[in-house]
Amino acid sequence: MSLAPEDFFTLAEITRHRVLFEGCTRVWEILPHLSEYLREHITPLPSSVPVGEPLPQGWIICRGEALPFSEVEIIREKGKWRIRRRGEILPGAILFPGAVLMDREIEFLPGSIVEPGALIAGPTLIGPNTEVRHGAYLRGEVLTGEGCVIGHTTEVKRAVFLDGAKAGHFAYVGDSILGRQVNLGAGTKLANLRLARGTVRIRYQGELLDTGLRKLGAILGDGVQTGCNSVTNPGTLIGPGSLVLPNVTAGPGVIPPRSILRK
């Protein structure tokens, strides 16, 4: 492993935002560029949607427009939400009343859902069919792919969720990257700040690699699964297909693909 993005993620399967990974020799080099990338690619929230306070009514974001719930019909069929207006099914995002959007540097792609009580700051781009559930706290610099979940009382900042990545319950995801189909068990914490001062350094193949980052959480390759109440130390890189069992503290350092961490 060279610790490049392709060691952790199947780049050919990244249908959106692949450019973010190009030119990086080390996988953590993505994170310092995330804020700039988001600001360049986000379509700002329409001006009619209130910011800085709980939404007093629900909104649909569709084709660059914001439609209040009063103008559409919201239907739940077979566990999925549908938006209908004058008989037409709309490919929009659903923002429920009570969600809080802190600024306009936030974009919601079709099929995404923000439940009441979620708080989102920008720059943030929520991908298609992604759920931001009640009580989630997105502090900015958040990018999700398709079909992701940021769940109840989960806090996220400066993080990338590739397609299908899920942090469904009571998680902390700081300065981290979750690969495709990663799943964090309830209570998983990806710690991002060393107790000692200085930048995060990673020991690998007899070298001590200085990331140059004061904060770096975890890089979880495609398909990594963590058990409930597991913790990763700052600067933990876990190879694809690995399992972190419940109550285990992993890292710091590089964990090979298809590993099982038991203690």
Side-chain angles (χ1 to χ4, degrees):
M1 297 176 70
S2 64
L3 308 187
E6 54 266 29
D7 291 322
F8 297 88
F9 317 118
T10 304
L11 298 187
E13 299 292 335
I14 300 176
T15 56
R16 301 173 181 83
H17 315 297
R18 191 183 307 169
V19 66
L20 183 61
F21 296 80
E22 294 173 353
C24 294
T25 57
R26 305 289 193 185
V27 66
W28 56 80
E29 294 172 359
I30 297 163
L31 293 170
H33 303 293
L34 183 56
S35 178
E36 179 183 5
Y37 177 85
L38 287 167
R39 288 189 165 94
E40 289 176 351
H41 290 81
I42 283 172
T43 299
L45 197 68
S47 59
S48 54
V49 179
V51 297
E53 61 180 354
L55 295 178
Q57 63 176 330
W59 291 87
I60 303 300
I61 308 298
C62 178
R63 299 167 181 156
E65 292 185 79
L67 306 172
F69 273 18
S70 58
E71 295 185 11
V72 299
E73 183 181 7
I74 309 294
I75 306 164
R76 190 166 176 83
E77 296 176 341
K78 298 180 180 180
K80 294 186 178 181
W81 293 101
R82 296 285 184 266
I83 308 159
R84 182 180 295 159
R85 183 175 64 168
R86 296 191 289 272
E88 178 189 6
I89 298 296
L90 300 180
I94 302 175
L95 313 180
F96 281 96
V100 181
L101 310 176
M102 296 304 295
D103 55 69
R104 300 205 180 279
E105 287 190 312
I106 305 170
E107 182 175 3
F108 302 97
L109 294 185
S112 57
I113 296 170
V114 182
E115 294 184 355
L119 188 150
I120 304 175
T124 289
L125 200 164
I126 302 299
N129 305 309
T130 286
E131 298 179 26
V132 181
R133 294 176 178 168
H134 168 75
Y137 180 25
L138 281 63
R139 291 170 47 195
E141 298 186 50
V142 177
L143 171 64
T144 82
E146 181 168 4
C148 299
V149 174
I150 299 176
H152 178 63
T153 65
T154 290
E155 180 180 350
V156 183
K157 55 88 64 172
R158 202 188 204 187
V160 176
F161 285 55
L162 296 182
D163 290 353
K166 297 175 175 62
H169 322 274
F170 320 113
Y172 177 72
V173 182
D175 300 87
S176 298
I177 306 173
L178 277 57
R180 295 173 63 252
Q181 303 302 325
V182 163
N183 187 73
L184 305 186
T188 295
K189 307 296 188 292
L190 308 183
N192 62 340
L193 181 64
R194 298 174 66 231
L195 294 178
R197 292 186 177 182
T199 54
V200 175
R201 293 171 291 177
I202 297 170
R203 190 172 297 281
Y204 181 62
Q205 294 184 342
E207 293 185 68
L208 193 59
L209 305 176
D210 191 342
T211 67
L213 302 175
R214 175 75 174 117
K215 293 183 178 181
L216 174 61
I219 311 293
L220 306 185
D222 291 343
V224 169
Q225 312 284 313
T226 71
C228 294
N229 297 319
S230 57
V231 176
T232 62
N233 277 297
T236 299
L237 282 62
I238 304 180
S242 295
L243 303 177
V244 181
L245 298 189
N247 301 307
V248 168
T249 298
V254 180
I255 296 162
R258 294 174 293 282
S259 297
I260 300 178
L261 281 70
R262 302 180 183 278
K263 62 179 180 177

